[in-house]
Amino acid sequence: MSRPFRHPPASAIGIDAVLHALADPIRRGVMVKLLGCDGLSCSKACSDLSPSTISFHHRVLREAGLIRSEKRGVEVINTARKAEIDVRFPGLLDAILRHHGPP
């Protein structure tokens, strides 16, 4: 049996963790993809990376409070927590991701 994913409550999401998570171009790319859909499996968000690298980047985003991960069968579906981030830090995600380009 797998362990459940831990997601920080919105009130515990910190600016340092968010900025650290979004400092990496791969994680910014994952966020851009997630914001454009209702949920995405890990493998489809980063198909060109190894499974362990994909898991690492999703864990950083999840622990920063930027995404919510849910196990569905054998897949993990990730969704962006944009509404919660926008309440906590208005306009931050839009400002950072507006300038995201290829690494």
Side-chain angles (χ1 to χ4, degrees):
M1 178 181 225
S2 63
R3 292 178 286 156
F5 293 112
R6 291 184 178 200
H7 303 93
S11 62
I13 296 172
I15 190 74
D16 291 336
V18 169
L19 293 175
H20 167 75
L22 294 176
D24 185 278
I26 292 171
R27 292 191 288 268
R28 284 194 309 270
V30 169
M31 286 301 297
V32 167
K33 288 179 184 179
L34 290 176
L35 289 170
C37 66
D38 289 331
L40 199 58
S41 72
C42 291
S43 60
K44 291 180 183 164
C46 303
S47 58
D48 56 334
L49 301 174
S50 71
S52 62
T53 302
I54 293 168
S55 294
F56 168 76
H57 286 299
H58 281 88
R59 181 176 53 84
V60 172
L61 290 168
R62 185 174 45 254
E63 289 176 355
L66 291 164
I67 66 172
R68 183 167 303 283
S69 301
E70 178 185 343
K71 186 95 167 152
R72 293 187 194 159
V74 296
E75 288 190 312
V76 175
I77 303 299
N78 298 288
T79 54
R81 295 176 67 182
K82 185 173 186 331
E84 294 169 271
I85 299 299
D86 284 346
V87 167
R88 187 111 169 105
F89 307 110
L92 180 67
L93 275 181
D94 292 333
I96 292 172
L97 298 178
R98 176 180 24 240
H99 301 287
H100 172 71

